[in-house]
Amino acid sequence: MTTARLHNTPADIAAAAALLRAGACVALPTETVYGLAANALDADAVRGIFAAKGRPADNPLIVHLLCAADAVPLVAPGEADKLTMLGDFMPGPLTVILRRAARVPSVVSGGLDSVALRIPAHPVARAVLAACGLPLAAPSANRSGSPSPTSAQHVLDDLDGAIAAVLDGGESAVGVESTVLSLTGDVPEILRPGAVTPEQLCALLGEVRVAEAVLAPLSAHTQAASPGMKYKHYAPRLPVVLVRGSAENYAAWCNARACLALCFARDAQFLRVPVFCYGAETDAETQARLLFDGLRTLDTAAAALQDAGGAAKLIIAAHAPAPNGVGLAVYNRLLRAAGFAVVEV
Ligand code: AMP
Ligand code: MG
């Protein structure tokens, strides 16, 4: 199939909506990352998402809506009321898990009795939602397991020829996937950290738990509350190691190895290996925005070095951010990209 390149024009928004109504998969910009959308009420259309991404069938999708009222037919009676208390962050980079209604196809929810809902803020995503009048199931628009896409080019790098169209809305402003908050238990629980932080949710809701799997590998016996957490994720082709320590010690560790550095701005002066700076050490928002582009860019740089006959076994050494605020989301993605390989220097 040829993947159409669409832009933010009324004609292209209408074209994207028509493709979605006809059951096709279309990649859309959102403020978090690009999503691969399909009609959430059409099980065949949703199966197309899993096929294009190579995504495991038990990893459920997030359903995107225009407003909280659109959630009512998708969730158990009374559940949609819970969204009103999150009004500050909806629309925004927040996904909420509620008990689902029977009309949500089980392929969307990976067989669970709950459903993940998000109201995106991105004007292009909202224009498509309004034009097609459908709830849209959309995971990140990358090949399963690879770094999430934050530009239309990233989507094409992974899925050109496998999806009907990509709608180019520029670079994603947040850069990491939404915060996933489960409201199905006694205490609200963060299953995946994102730009809406535990601190912000605590201030709004009182008690909020952060799931153990955010910072630890799941043991063989525990069941993942969020099935996505059990898979290797966000990973470039090169192995990643997460390095914790001062700028000087991080640089010394990198300089002693065949590696490329995903580093903070101040680290660069000490480094003698190829670098991608993903922001200042204290600027977690910038780290989040540049993280996935950095992993993809370093992968490409390594391939060029290897083609030129350079070191055969390169790794990416990522300087670890402090795991709080938005930094918790950055740390969580890097930890998974690294398969939990962390060194202290
Ligand atoms: P992605 O769309 O690639 O950002 O992945 C969606 C994330 O939300 C994955 O980590 C899923 O496991 C999680 N998720 C989606 N639906 C549910 C649900 N009903 N219960 C728990 N986690 C969910
Ligand atoms: Mg994903």
Side-chain angles (χ1 to χ4, degrees):
M1 121 176 42
T2 306
T3 300
R5 274 81 164 156
L6 304 176
H7 295 91
N8 182 15
T9 64
D12 280 4
I13 301 275
L19 284 166
L20 290 162
R21 275 197 303 267
C25 296
V26 177
L28 302 176
T30 84
E31 68 273 29
T32 56
V33 302
Y34 274 66
L36 183 59
N39 177 0
L41 301 177
D42 176 345
D44 283 337
V46 172
R47 276 190 275 274
I49 296 175
F50 285 89
K53 283 180 57 85
R55 183 176 175 105
D58 67 348
N59 192 2
L61 307 180
I62 295 169
V63 177
H64 294 69
L65 307 171
L66 204 51
C67 61
D70 292 347
V72 174
L74 304 179
V75 297
E79 284 282 276
D81 296 342
K82 295 181 181 171
L83 297 178
T84 51
M85 61 187 176
L86 294 160
D88 290 1
F89 300 113
M90 296 183 100
L94 176 66
T95 294
V96 176
I97 313 280
L98 298 174
R99 284 183 300 116
R100 77 178 168 99
R103 87 185 277 243
V104 176
S106 82
V107 59
V108 170
S109 57
L112 300 173
D113 59 5
S114 55
V115 62
L117 301 175
R118 173 163 169 233
I119 302 172
H122 196 290
V124 175
R126 297 187 62 78
V128 175
L129 281 163
C132 71
L134 294 168
L136 295 176
S140 51
N142 53 306
R143 296 272 322 151
S144 192
S146 71
S148 293
T150 56
S151 70
Q153 188 56 51
H154 291 166
V155 175
L156 290 167
D157 289 344
D158 279 18
L159 299 177
D160 197 7
I163 58 175
V166 56
L167 180 45
D168 191 340
E171 283 171 23
S172 302
V174 172
V176 291
E177 304 83 346
S178 55
T179 303
V180 176
L181 179 71
S182 174
L183 296 181
T184 59
D186 303 340
V187 177
E189 184 173 33
I190 294 174
L191 304 183
R192 176 174 75 184
V196 176
T197 64
E199 295 83 350
Q200 287 174 310
L201 289 170
C202 262
L204 191 66
L205 303 174
E207 195 182 359
V208 172
R209 227 177 8 231
V210 176
E212 210 179 307
V214 165
L215 288 177
L218 284 168
S219 77
H221 306 293
T222 35
Q223 228 211 314
S226 180
M229 288 195 288
K230 72 182 180 223
Y231 295 108
K232 182 166 181 182
H233 229 134
Y234 319 117
R237 287 184 292 273
L238 293 186
V240 177
V241 176
L242 193 49
V243 184
R244 287 162 42 151
S246 68
E248 290 80 356
N249 292 351
Y250 165 73
W253 192 89
C254 292
N255 289 338
R257 284 169 177 76
C259 74
L260 300 95
L262 181 72
C263 67
F264 300 133
R266 200 177 79 83
D267 303 333
Q269 63 188 312
F270 305 118
L271 285 160
R272 295 191 304 276
V273 299
V275 303
F276 182 101
C277 291
Y278 76 128
E281 184 165 13
T282 51
D283 182 359
E285 277 83 9
T286 300
Q287 293 160 22
R289 185 164 55 77
L290 298 180
L291 171 68
F292 290 131
D293 186 46
L295 292 174
R296 285 173 179 263
T297 301
L298 291 175
D299 246 353
T300 306
L305 284 175
Q306 278 160 346
D307 285 349
K313 281 213 161 170
L314 290 165
I315 61 165
I316 293 175
H319 201 170
N324 46 52
V326 178
L328 180 65
V330 178
Y331 193 93
N332 164 270
R333 303 310 188 274
L334 281 170
L335 200 54
R336 270 150 211 290
F340 294 92
V342 182
V343 295
E344 303 272 351
V345 295

